[in-house]
Structures are given as structure tokens and as C-alpha cells.
Amino acid sequence: MNRKLLVHVAAPIAVGAVVLSGCGGSSSGGSSGGGKKTIALAYQGPLSGDNAQLGINMDNAVKLAVKQANDKGDLPFTLKFVDADDQGTPDGGPPAAQKLIAQSDVLAVVGPAFSGATKASEPLFSQAHLLSVSPSATNPQLTSYGFSTFYRVVPPDDAQGKEAAKYIAKTLNSKKTYSIDDKSEYGVGLSGVLEPALKGLGVSVIHDGIPPTKDYSAEAQKVVGAHVDTVYYSGYFAEFALFTKALKAAGYKGNLMGGDGDKDQQYVVQAGAKNAEGTIFSCPCADATVDPKAADFAQAYKAMFNADPGTYSPEAYDAANSVISILKQVGAGATRQKVADAYKSVDFQGITKEIKFSPNGEVAGTTIFIYQVKNGKIAVLGTTADLVKG
Amino acid sequence: MCFTHSFWQLTISGLSDGMLYALIALGYTLVYGVLQLINFAHSEVFMSGGFGGLFVVQALVGSKTPHGASSVMLVLLGVIVGALVGGSIAFILERVAYRPLRRRNAPKLAFLISAIGASLFLVNIAGKQFGRLAIPMPDLYTNGNVFSVFGADVQTNFVVIAIAAAIMLVFLDRLVAQTRLGQGIRAVAQDADTASLMGVNIDRVISQTFVVGGLLGGAAGFLFGLVFNVQYNMGFTPGIKAFTAAVLGGIGNIRGAVLGGLVLGVVENLGVSCVQSAWRDVIAFGILVLVLLFRPTGILGERLGRSA
Amino acid sequence: MTTEPTPMTGSEQGPSRTNAVMAWSRTRNGRVLGACLFGALVLALMTGPSGSAQHLTAGVRGSWLSTHVIGFLIFGVVLWLLIISGSRLRGRVQPVTEVIAGVRERALVSKPVIYAGYAVALLIAILVPPQLSVFWQQVLVSQIGIFVLLTIGLNVVVGFAGLLDLGYIAFYAIGAYTAAYFTGYPDSKPGHISPLPVHPPFHLNPFLVFPLAVIACIIAGVLLGTPTLRLRGDYLAIVTLGFGEIVRITINNSESVTNGPRGAFGIPHFSAFGYHWTLSLIPYWYLLLTVIVITLILFRQLENSRVGRAWTAIREDEVAAAATGIPTLKYKLMAFAIGASTSGLAGVIFASEIGFVAPDNFILINSLLVLVYVIFGGMGSLPGAVIGASFLIWLPNVLRDHVPPQDRFIYFGALLVVMMIFRPQGVIPSRRRARELGLAEAGVGGADALGGSEPGAA
């Protein structure tokens, strides 16, 4: 058949197509109209795949920050927004990172969003001296791998785990807690800090891990049969919602608590307001509806995207704005190296917290807040420092 | 034993899962019987039924939770609409993704790739149309404890699923055993060439088989969505599990699909009370391997023709 | 002799006009129009606006109930007209196309042309990548190169021996984690980072892990295959699917051994004869290219050897093959083991190149995608495997810039269906397959006998 012909002809054609789409990639960027230099702020995170929603929350927030910065009109350059989809997986990380590295006008990246993709991408960012500030990668080990340009504006999970344990032991007065994680990197990391902390405070702990699924009735049975007074779920809101439904249906009457990945208004929607009522959350995030600056953000976000800001949107907004403040400081002659160096000493007041870092890339200030679902809305109760006695 | 503590409770939730698996597994088994094809896209037929039912109940339910007769009507309507949507998608699927391949006597693996392609297409277009968040259905009734069996509480959800599934299974059994269509399905499953020589319209039988499987899968999608919320990718895992159940019971065998579904549901639920829930899928696939080792054609063996 | 049709009144014209329309819709032209319009509607939906959980019908309304759909419908009608008139044109052009086809056939059976073709392909593979942007280099190295190797391996299992394996990615995982294990250190002295929590008895350069990974994969392949290769085609499929998932879940759950969902970080790069590979992509590409070329040469030899012919016999009719004395289980195990080891090699290269592996790299969809690449490219054909994998990985990456990223797989899925409808033999089918399929289309024999699909077969 014409097999050999196809090899002979199709291969060069195919490769030619690859070349044509490949060439010119590194020559994008440069100046736009008006003679002002163009600098790009990039976002890397999941924009497709199962975790797309979380990624889109952050993508939108960065877009908003860029637009507002341009609208203000006091930048010595034009700020452009670029995003790269890594699907939230370690597979997707390197190509997405390379796409951003290849664009010479990208001087900083907000992201990667997920810890797995971060681990796969950071060696490349470090090599390229490209600043990367993650709004959501909370795995505690990320700052110990020696990634020279990696920062994160969220405290690592060990802060949250320890503070949540204190709250459970001393404020909820729990004697026996059921700690469940979703066998994801985030969930295992959080429960791995929570459980030893709880045990250290004298609470007896039962552990289980259940990968994301829909039917939690068997799990609910286990919980009810264990006669615990508190359940803490380390995972994401969609699964927590279904788990809550199953727990209530099985007759569980104790405390129900989740982490920052669970805290999202969608939890209330998907579990049903009746089932969600009273659920508690720990979160290293400040309440975006209380701070007046945050209220402006929420309004602007809604106006631009016709949806409420979601989980991690405020953090991404702060990350973007802190970077923009450094870009302004360095000015139009900025390079990646200059930006990365200048960012070390950033001190920016964001809507979630003061953005300032210790040398290893951890954000200073690890206030953990406690929230509760009241009348169908997630309301802040206070910080653990305020709420935990003794 | 580790599961004796809540044995009956777990068995009940296992039967509930199992009945949903059974309804979906029937779709796989029916299509396999007539075409020897693993209809990978059946999981999306299931998903489409969930969304079809969602539209209907969202349009009809007000702010108060209905009860009594209106609950029953709404559930019935949801099941019917879910089934119809599922059947339609299955019909289109057969026409677009499989019939052209049958015309050219394409190899079986080409069908499989077409099925995978159709599945990817349908999942992602549903995600595009309906967003990627899970969507809860409005409450059609108040879910409470209806009665107790051996100390285990049986809830309204379970009763709804059980009754709906039982009715559909009886309907299917009658269809296959006593109607012309059922005879056609059995004939084509047994020997397609001879059946066509005897005057059976193969194309029509195959199309109708897909539709019947789709009706069941779509209804299952609505019932699933009622309890577990509706989402664009809700079909993937139940699809794999149901296919496993179909093979477990004997692929191509209707009673086998039902048995396989129930066995899988119960074993999964009992099993995770003994070990960490993270091993649930290992238990499910482990049971499959064990059964196939000793009974290579599934618990009840193959052959749609002989089973009915 | 028929009588003149009597002129009909309005009410009589109605039903027979609908009948006429219905009859016409069943003709070829009618069906083609239906297909074109259906395709137009689907395209309109694919390229239209998106909906969301709060606005469930926004996408459909914006795609079909607006001006958006009109352009597509027009395009559909135009396409239909082209197709119907095309069949008339084809008849007129036929003598010319036949002559061209004849010349092609004769030219391409000649060995010098074939070898020249391979040489050109190899030259392109060596010279072009350094000219590409870093993004495409990364895609070549971490996606295309790796998956081409995986596809070639699965091609042996599915294409040569006809065994439907849906859990192929498990061997890739075994190879990667073997690399993670043996590149650790027996002790925890400073500077000695072990990617896994468990320490190996000795530290190895990733190159030296290759034979160990191959051995581990052969053992795994034989362990999986011995009880299951007796099973019929579709049963084998679900069992291998289950095996793939069992491996991934076990890795994810065994935190003390594998670090669970966090994965293994810090796997070193290759080094040989004083040369160290780094994050730099082109040296990794040449390494991959070398492995791929060697594998291709080896498998080509295998295909034309006694083993290859035994595989073909088993694939086409296992019962007959066994009757002629071929030890079918042994050959099937061999195919499984060879496929598994290729996958393991790919795993070692990937682990070393990225430096990080996690259970998320080994999800079920990846097994399915490798199968898709094998069949799309042309089952049983080595050039097909290379082209299939390359094209189907290139496509979503290039689509990233032209369609919203979350919609990419809509196009991908549609392409698969369309490809199977119009060219089920794949892009470059093996010559033997092409003949089988041609005969099957003409009605002679089945297009394949994967595991004995006729009812009544044992």
C-alpha cells in the first residue's frame, strides 16, 4: 500500500507543521504601540481537567489585577496578562512552564497552583531565574527543595494543621476525632500535620483516607460506628459536600470541620443549606467580605466575570498585586533577575494579609482563621489566637 | 469479623450502589451481546440522563420541599425524562460513532477507539455547556428513615432507588423474554448472520438495543444525580465499575449484569469497613480477578441468548 | 404499462409529498445531507459560547438559537453539494489517478526509496528540534518522545500479538519508581537525597537502572500475564485495566514506601562517561531518539522473525495457531513482557528527566490514550505508532492557542470518531493489516479475530 509514501512524505510535512508552529515562539513579546515597553505577568495553573474550577478562580483574579493596574495609568510600561494551563498535574507542569519561560516579556509568574505541578515546574523556573509566586500550593516541603525563585502567599499546611488541632482540642473540647483525607497531596499533607498535633493535645484520633468518590455512605457508617464527637475532612469542597450529606443521613450529630480546600460557598450549595449549617472551617485566609478593600475586590471580580470570587481568588489577587508593586519599583528596565532579586524584600499590604517573606519563600504571618456556616453563608468567627483558650 | 458490626447497614448501602451499577451494567451487557463491543461512551449516556432529569425537576420544583403524591410524580417524571434523554443520546451515538464502522466491517479496536473518542467528546461538551461544578438537584422529598431492618435504618433514598430499579428490571426481563424486540436481540446476540438470513433487520435491532440500554442508563443517571449531585464527568467511575460488574456477572448475560452489579456494590461496601477506604477500588478489581480466575466467563457465564 | 398519474388535489398531495421526502431522505444523497447538517450543528455547539452551573442553557442558546449557527448550516449545505458533485467528478478523473497510483506503487516497493525515506526522517529528527522554541522542545522531550516509546511498546502487545491491554501505564509506573528507588542512597549522609523514603542497598546512575527496570517489568508482566492471558480478549481488557488501577492505588496508598501522593522528588539526571545530562532539553531528546531508534530496529527484526509470525498466527486465529503446535501462552507472555519492558524504559527516562514522579502521572486515561495512539497510527505498524503518537500529542498542544484550553478535548474526541469512521485502519496501517481490512470490507473474513470473538468460541 502507500505506507512508505506516507512515511516519506507525511513525516516531513508533519515535522514541517511542528516547526512552523514551533518557530517564532521565542520571538513573541517586545513593545506594543505607543513605544512603551510591554511586560507580561503570567499565571500557571489548571484551566482544564478536573481541577479547572480552582484554577479559573485564580486565573480570573490575576487578570483583574492586571486590568486594574493598567487602568490606574501609573505604570511606566504596559502590563500584559498571559496564562498557561498545566491541568494541575505534574505531567502538565513542564510544558506550561516552558511556554512561559520561552516568552521573553514574561517577568513573573503567579503560580503554579497545585503542589505536584509546582514540583515538576520549579527546577525550570529556578534555572530561568523567573519569579514564581504561588497562591495555593501549600505542601510544606515545597520551600525545602532549594527552588531559588519560589514564594508562596499562603502558609504551608503545617501551620493550618497545628492551629486547627488546637481549636478542636481546646475550643470544641473534642475527646475523639475522626480525621479523613482525600489521599491527595494536599489532603495527606494536612491530615499528616493535624493528627500528630491532636494526639499531642490528648485527643484520640481515628484516621482514614478515601480518594474522591461520590458515595460516602460506607464511610459515614464507619464514622457513626466509631462514636466520635468531631470529624475533620482534609480535601476539597465538592467531596466534603457529598460526605456531609451522607453523614447527616447516617445520623451523625457531632462537630463537622474542614480545611481551606473545603471552604467555598459551593460547599453550601452542593451539600444543601440544611446539611451544611454549622460546619466549621479552618483557613489561612482572611474574610474577603469583612475587609473593605476586599469588598472592592469582590465587587470588581463580579463585574468583570459575572461570578463570585472563589477559593484562592483573593490570594491570587494579592500575589499578582505584590508582584506588580515590585515591577513598578524596578521600572521599565526590569529583567527577570532584577525582579526576582527585588521581590525578596517585598512588603505589600494585600487584602488577605501583609505580603512579606522569610528567606526560604514562606510568607510571614501565619494567622489561621475559623469560619462557620451560619444561615447558609460562611461567616468568620475569628482567629485561632482569639478563639482558643489557654 | 470487621464488618459484622454494621453488616446490615453496609449491605443496604451496598445494594443501593449495586442497583445503580446493575442498571448501568445492563447497557454495557446488552450492547456487548449484539455487537461484541465495549461501549465506552455508555458512561456519558448515564450522565446525560442525570442532566435531563435535572432540567425537568429544576423547572418544576418550587421553594418548598414537596411530599406525598407530588414527590412521587416528580421522581417518576425525572426517571422518565432521564431515560428518554439517555435513550436519545444512545441512539445518536450508535448512528454516528458505530454504524458507519459496521458498514465497513471495521476491526473491533476501531470501534473501541471511536467509543473512547465519543466519550471524550461528550464529557467535554457537557462540561462546556453546563460548567464543571457539581450541581445538586432540588429536594424531591424529605430523606428520612422509612423503616428498620435488623437494626439498620432504611432511608427514603434507598426505597426510591430500589423501587425504580426493580420496576425497570422487571420491564427489561419482560422485554427480552416476551416481545418481538427481545426475540430479535436474543437472535442477533446468538448469531447475527443467521438472524439476518431469517429476516431480522439487524440495523434496527442494534439501534433498539442501544436505545433500551440508554433508557436504563439514563434513568440510573437521574437516580444517581438525585442522591449524589450531577456533574459533567459523573459517568467515568460508575461506568468503569458497572462495566466491571457486567464482566463479573458474565458479559452479555442480562441476569449476570444484575447479579454482578449487586455483588460488586455489596462487596465494596463491606470491604471498606475492614480496611482503609482508600483500598476500595483494589477490592473491586481484586474480586473481579479472583472470579475470572475460577470462572473465566463470569459468575453466570456469557450468552444473552441462553440466559433469558 | 403505467397509466398517466392523475392530477392530485391539495389534500392528496400532502401525504405523498411527505412520503417522497421520507423516501428521499433514505437515499444516499439524503443521508449525506443529514450527516452534513448534523455535523454543522455539532460544530456550532463546539465553537459557541459556554454555559455554567448557574446558566445551564446559555451555551446551547448561544450556539443554536442565535446567528452563530447560520454560518455553519450554510457550510453544511455547501459541503453536501460538493460531495454529491464530487462523486461525478471522481468518475471522470479516475483514469488519471489510476496511473499515478500505479507509479507510486512501483516506486515505493523499491528498497532504496524506503531507506531514503527513513534516512530523511532521521535527519529531520536530528536537525529540526534544536531550531524549535523551548516550549516545543519540552513537549518533544517530556510528552512526544516518551509517549512514542510507550506507543511502540504497546504496539507489540496490541498490534503484533493482538492482546487488548488497558492497563499499560502500570509498567511505566514500575519503571519510574524503580528509577526513584535505585537512584537513592543506602545512607542519609548530607548531600545524599533519596527520592523515596526507603533506601536501596546501593546507589546507581539512572543508566544502570535500565536493566533493573526491565527486569522488574518483565517480572510484573509475567505475574500479571500468567493467570490472565488465558482469558478472552475483552476479559483481558478489563483485568488489565484493573491491574493498572491497582498498581496506581497501591503506590498512592503506600506512603511509607513510595511517599504516597506526594511522589518521589529529586531523581538525578543521567550521566555517562563523564557527560552529565541536565535540565537542558536537546541532549535528552537525543537520548530518547537513540532509544527509540534502537527499539524500532529491534522490533522490526522481531516482527519479521519466527516470533512475529507466531504472533500474527495467534492474533488471526488462536485456536488454529495452537492446533499447529505454537505454544500460544508462551508467545503471549513474551509479547506482554516485551511491551512491559519498553514501558519501563520510558518510565526511567521520564523520571530522570523531570526529576519527579507521582501517582498522578499514571492515571487510567493515560493507558487509554496510548491505546488510542496505537490504533490511530495504524495497528501493528511501527511507523504508524510513531506518527500516531506524535500527531495526537502535537494536536492538543497546538490547539491550546486557538481554542479555550478546557475545550481542547472536545476536538480531540471528535477527531478520533471521524478518523475511525473514514479510516479505521489508522494513518499508516501495516501492510498485512491493510490487506486484512480490505478483505473484510469486501465481506471476506473478519477484520480481526482478537481473542476469538465469534460466539461459541472457547
Side-chain angles (χ1 to χ4, degrees):
Chain A
M1 222 212 97
N2 300 326
R3 159 168 83 134
K4 305 299 184 204
L5 171 70
L6 282 164
V7 173
H8 188 66
V9 171
I13 293 178
V15 176
V18 170
V19 172
L20 286 173
S21 58
C23 279
S26 43
S27 57
S28 67
S31 56
S32 61
K36 250 198 201 173
K37 178 157 170 214
T38 309
I39 294 185
L41 176 62
Y43 165 74
Q44 180 183 324
L47 295 173
S48 65
D50 285 337
N51 300 302
Q53 192 56 54
L54 287 167
I56 292 171
N57 291 346
M58 296 180 248
D59 187 63
N60 286 346
V62 178
K63 254 190 227 167
L64 176 64
V66 169
K67 175 172 177 297
Q68 286 181 334
N70 277 325
D71 287 345
K72 226 161 154 210
D74 59 355
L75 295 172
F77 45 78
T78 316
L79 193 60
K80 196 172 76 170
F81 172 76
V82 171
D83 59 17
D85 172 19
D86 66 9
Q87 294 175 295
T89 63
D91 269 342
Q98 292 286 21
K99 175 179 169 215
L100 298 178
I101 292 172
Q103 272 190 251
S104 53
D105 57 357
V106 169
L107 297 190
V109 177
V110 172
F114 277 56
S115 299
T118 306
K119 271 187 265 193
S121 312
E122 282 306 321
L124 300 168
F125 285 137
S126 299
Q127 193 190 42
H129 304 294
L130 183 56
L131 174 68
S132 86
V133 185
S134 177
S136 55
T138 50
N139 186 296
Q141 279 103 31
L142 286 174
T143 45
S144 60
Y145 290 130
F147 298 143
S148 54
T149 53
F150 176 70
Y151 297 83
R152 55 170 159 213
V153 297
V154 279
D157 288 323
D158 34 21
Q160 192 187 164
K162 291 193 192 125
E163 292 297 307
K166 274 197 235 166
Y167 185 81
I168 293 174
K170 303 201 177 154
T171 312
L172 295 179
N173 290 314
S174 168
K175 298 284 174 283
K176 201 169 174 202
T177 295
Y178 210 105
S179 159
I180 303 180
D181 61 54
D182 65 352
K183 300 304 279 186
S184 73
E185 169 149 30
Y186 160 68
V188 165
L190 184 54
S191 73
V193 177
L194 180 79
E195 287 162 21
L198 279 173
K199 287 184 197 153
L201 291 166
V203 182
S204 110
V205 176
I206 303 180
H207 167 83
D208 202 1
I210 174 166
T213 181
K214 302 283 186 179
D215 185 3
Y216 287 90
S217 48
E219 195 64 29
Q221 277 312 310
K222 276 175 150 183
V223 170
V224 167
H227 303 296
V228 294
D229 52 55
T230 307
V231 171
Y232 190 100
Y233 180 77
S234 305
Y236 293 101
F237 56 86
E239 287 72 41
F240 191 35
L242 290 172
F243 183 40
T244 303
K245 266 182 157 182
L247 276 175
K248 300 291 182 180
Y252 175 72
K253 299 267 185 299
N255 299 311
L256 188 52
M257 194 165 169
D260 59 324
D262 298 312
K263 175 188 160 295
D264 191 299
Q265 189 59 28
Q266 276 296 309
Y267 164 75
V268 180
V269 172
Q270 292 177 19
K274 212 165 31 127
N275 292 323
E277 191 67 20
T279 304
I280 306 169
F281 300 97
S282 63
C283 189
C285 51
D287 186 2
T289 58
V290 168
D291 188 345
K293 255 193 297 186
D296 287 341
F297 159 69
Q299 249 184 335
Y301 188 103
K302 190 141 189 193
M304 189 165 170
F305 301 108
N306 206 6
D308 287 321
T311 315
Y312 301 128
S313 290
E315 283 75 13
Y317 186 70
D318 273 351
N321 280 322
S322 66
V323 174
I324 293 174
S325 77
I326 289 297
L327 289 174
K328 245 198 294 195
Q329 189 183 305
V330 178
T335 62
R336 287 177 180 174
Q337 186 72 60
K338 283 194 202 161
V339 172
D341 288 339
Y343 196 75
K344 283 189 199 143
S345 45
V346 68
D347 191 347
F348 174 81
Q349 189 60 43
I351 61 175
T352 63
K353 59 173 75 69
E354 187 184 352
I355 308 290
K356 202 164 70 162
F357 298 97
S358 54
N360 64 353
E362 296 287 3
V363 70
T366 55
T367 322
I368 305 295
F369 294 83
I370 302 292
Y371 294 80
Q372 191 169 33
V373 179
K374 285 192 178 158
N375 295 322
K377 288 269 182 289
I378 302 180
V380 63
L381 294 182
T383 67
T384 48
D386 299 332
L387 296 169
V388 174
K389 313 144 207 148
Chain B
M1 285 235 75
C2 46
F3 50 74
T4 44
H5 182 74
S6 17
F7 178 77
W8 288 109
Q9 196 69 63
L10 291 168
T11 306
I12 290 176
S13 40
L15 287 174
S16 180
D17 286 342
M19 282 184 280
L20 290 174
Y21 286 154
L23 287 173
I24 310 170
L26 282 165
Y28 285 107
T29 239
L30 284 167
V31 167
Y32 189 86
V34 298
L35 272 185
Q36 280 81 54
L37 159 71
I38 306 170
N39 180 11
F40 235 93
H42 189 59
S43 43
E44 276 51 73
V45 168
F46 164 80
M47 176 266 291
S48 69
F51 277 100
L54 175 75
F55 273 101
V56 163
V57 300
Q58 265 191 350
L60 293 176
V61 172
S63 49
K64 282 210 303 198
T65 312
H67 51 264
S70 43
S71 287
V72 174
M73 288 311 306
L74 284 167
V75 172
L76 198 57
L77 203 55
V79 168
I80 292 175
V81 172
L84 288 173
V85 172
S88 318
I89 298 287
F91 177 78
I92 297 175
L93 195 62
E94 193 269 325
R95 278 301 175 87
V96 173
Y98 303 137
R99 186 172 295 199
L101 273 67
R102 265 195 307 121
R103 291 269 175 275
R104 343 178 24 154
N105 286 319
K108 219 159 51 125
L109 283 178
F111 284 86
L112 186 61
I113 300 308
S114 183
I116 294 176
S119 176
L120 285 171
F121 177 83
L122 288 169
V123 169
N124 283 287
I125 210 137
K128 184 182 166 72
Q129 299 308 313
F130 309 125
R132 287 169 170 89
L133 289 172
I135 304 173
M137 288 212 196
D139 284 328
L140 298 186
Y141 47 79
T142 331
N143 186 37
N145 291 337
V146 178
F147 55 85
S148 275
V149 164
F150 298 122
D153 294 320
V154 177
Q155 293 178 353
T156 329
N157 282 337
F158 177 82
V159 173
V160 169
I161 292 178
I163 295 180
I167 296 176
M168 282 188 272
L169 292 173
V170 166
F171 153 76
L172 180 75
D173 210 65
R174 286 284 138 81
L175 183 91
V176 171
Q178 294 174 356
T179 65
R180 198 74 176 273
L181 164 62
Q183 273 182 333
I185 294 177
R186 280 181 287 137
V188 174
Q190 195 157 30
D191 188 338
D193 291 327
T194 309
S196 83
L197 285 173
M198 304 290 272
V200 175
N201 183 338
I202 305 283
D203 280 350
R204 189 160 346 135
V205 167
I206 289 179
S207 188
Q208 287 167 337
T209 309
F210 267 85
V211 170
V212 170
L215 290 172
L216 295 168
F222 170 73
L223 292 169
F224 185 93
L226 207 52
V227 183
F228 303 121
N229 302 344
V230 176
Q231 200 172 9
Y232 76 113
N233 59 0
M234 67 194 252
F236 187 71
T237 307
I240 304 271
K241 289 291 176 66
F243 178 57
T244 307
V247 175
L248 188 65
I251 190 87
N253 184 323
I254 291 182
R255 306 229 166 104
V258 176
L259 182 63
L262 294 174
V263 166
L264 189 66
V266 171
V267 166
E268 272 189 346
N269 276 275
L270 290 177
V272 297
S273 67
C274 294
V275 299
Q276 259 209 17
S277 304
W279 295 101
R280 186 191 51 234
D281 291 353
V282 173
I283 294 174
F285 289 118
I287 295 290
L288 176 74
V289 171
L290 275 174
V291 167
L292 287 180
L293 273 180
F294 295 109
R295 284 190 70 79
T297 50
I299 302 179
L300 293 185
E302 301 184 23
R303 306 308 304 283
L304 183 69
R306 270 190 227 125
S307 77
Chain C
M1 201 183 84
T2 52
T3 53
E4 281 285 317
T6 50
M8 291 191 275
T9 62
S11 60
E12 280 173 310
Q13 272 175 327
S16 64
R17 205 177 279 161
T18 5
N19 284 343
V21 171
M22 294 288 289
W24 178 81
S25 75
R26 284 196 202 105
T27 65
R28 182 175 176 268
N29 287 349
R31 277 188 285 123
V32 174
L33 178 63
C36 287
L37 290 177
F38 177 78
L41 285 176
V42 169
L43 275 172
L45 194 65
M46 277 163 74
T47 53
S50 303
S52 72
Q54 286 89 12
H55 306 281
L56 288 170
T57 53
V60 175
R61 273 184 290 131
S63 309
W64 286 344
L65 301 180
S66 72
T67 50
H68 181 83
V69 75
I70 297 178
F72 289 97
L73 286 173
I74 295 176
F75 168 73
V77 172
V78 168
L79 187 65
W80 172 65
L81 291 170
L82 282 173
I83 294 178
I84 350 182
S85 51
S87 40
R88 267 175 251 147
L89 282 171
R90 227 177 285 143
R92 269 178 237 158
V93 181
Q94 195 150 355
V96 181
T97 52
E98 273 176 2
V99 172
I100 300 178
V103 170
R104 252 193 237 148
E105 280 290 336
R106 263 172 281 142
L108 292 174
V109 178
S110 69
K111 281 247 165 94
V113 178
I114 296 173
Y115 286 136
Y118 287 149
V120 169
L122 191 59
L123 229 66
I124 293 176
I126 296 177
L127 297 176
V128 167
Q131 316 301 324
L132 301 175
S133 75
V134 182
F135 168 69
W136 283 108
Q137 288 179 0
Q138 181 75 58
V139 170
L140 265 182
V141 164
S142 63
Q143 293 182 339
I144 295 184
I146 298 286
F147 275 87
V148 162
L149 195 53
L150 286 173
T151 309
I152 294 173
L154 187 62
N155 189 40
V156 169
V157 178
V158 173
F160 290 173
L163 304 167
L164 187 52
D165 184 352
L166 295 183
Y168 189 64
I169 213 82
F171 301 112
Y172 179 57
I174 292 173
Y177 273 89
T178 307
Y181 179 61
F182 281 108
T183 53
Y185 291 87
D187 52 50
S188 307
K189 287 207 286 257
H192 283 186
I193 314 167
S194 291
L196 292 178
V198 286
H199 296 276
F202 40 79
H203 165 81
L204 287 179
N205 178 327
F207 259 124
L208 297 172
V209 179
F210 274 140
L212 288 172
V214 168
I215 294 173
C217 289
I218 291 181
I219 295 177
V222 169
L223 273 177
L224 170 68
T226 313
T228 59
L229 283 175
R230 297 164 218 280
L231 295 171
R232 248 191 41 185
D234 299 312
Y235 295 95
L236 182 65
I238 186 65
V239 166
T240 48
L241 189 154
F243 175 71
E245 283 292 275
I246 289 176
V247 167
R248 180 186 62 81
I249 294 172
T250 307
I251 292 178
N252 200 49
N253 290 349
S254 312
E255 269 172 71
S256 47
V257 175
T258 62
N259 232 0
R262 274 184 233 128
F265 185 83
I267 303 166
H269 294 294
F270 286 102
S271 56
F273 314 115
Y275 179 77
H276 295 280
W277 272 257
T278 61
L279 282 174
S280 179
L281 293 165
I282 293 298
Y284 262 110
W285 169 247
Y286 289 138
L287 175 67
L288 262 171
L289 194 59
T290 313
V291 174
I292 290 175
V293 168
I294 295 177
T295 316
L296 281 173
I297 297 176
L298 280 175
F299 287 177
R300 167 71 84 218
Q301 299 300 93
L302 210 53
E303 193 184 4
N304 294 327
S305 73
R306 194 148 170 207
V307 180
R309 286 196 292 276
W311 284 335
T312 309
I314 294 172
R315 187 184 75 225
E316 297 194 359
D317 190 338
E318 186 168 349
V319 179
T324 60
I326 298 179
T328 54
L329 187 62
K330 169 176 156 209
Y331 280 107
K332 286 207 253 186
L333 274 175
M334 203 187 290
F336 229 63
I338 291 176
S341 345
T342 315
S343 194
L345 286 181
V348 173
I349 299 179
F350 180 77
S352 187
E353 170 197 316
I354 303 284
F356 168 63
V357 290
D360 265 352
N361 290 121
F362 312 116
I363 44 184
L364 175 59
I365 188 73
N366 287 340
S367 284
L368 297 176
L369 284 175
V370 179
L371 181 68
V372 167
Y373 302 153
V374 169
I375 296 172
F376 185 92
M379 222 177 343
S381 130
L382 292 168
V386 174
I387 303 251
S390 308
F391 177 72
L392 285 180
I393 295 177
W394 170 80
L395 186 68
N397 280 300
V398 95
L399 276 181
R400 226 189 270 255
D401 299 322
H402 302 293
V403 303
Q406 49 265 53
D407 292 350
R408 281 177 300 150
F409 284 93
I410 302 179
Y411 296 89
F412 188 85
L415 174 69
L416 291 181
V417 175
V418 167
M419 182 69 180
M420 288 300 110
I421 292 176
F422 291 105
R423 204 180 158 82
Q425 64 267 42
V427 174
I428 305 182
S430 71
R431 224 186 270 133
R432 178 170 281 130
R433 270 336 206 131
R435 224 180 295 135
E436 273 173 35
L437 289 160
L439 286 174
E441 256 182 76
V444 179
D448 58 1
L450 257 131
S453 51
E454 315 89 49

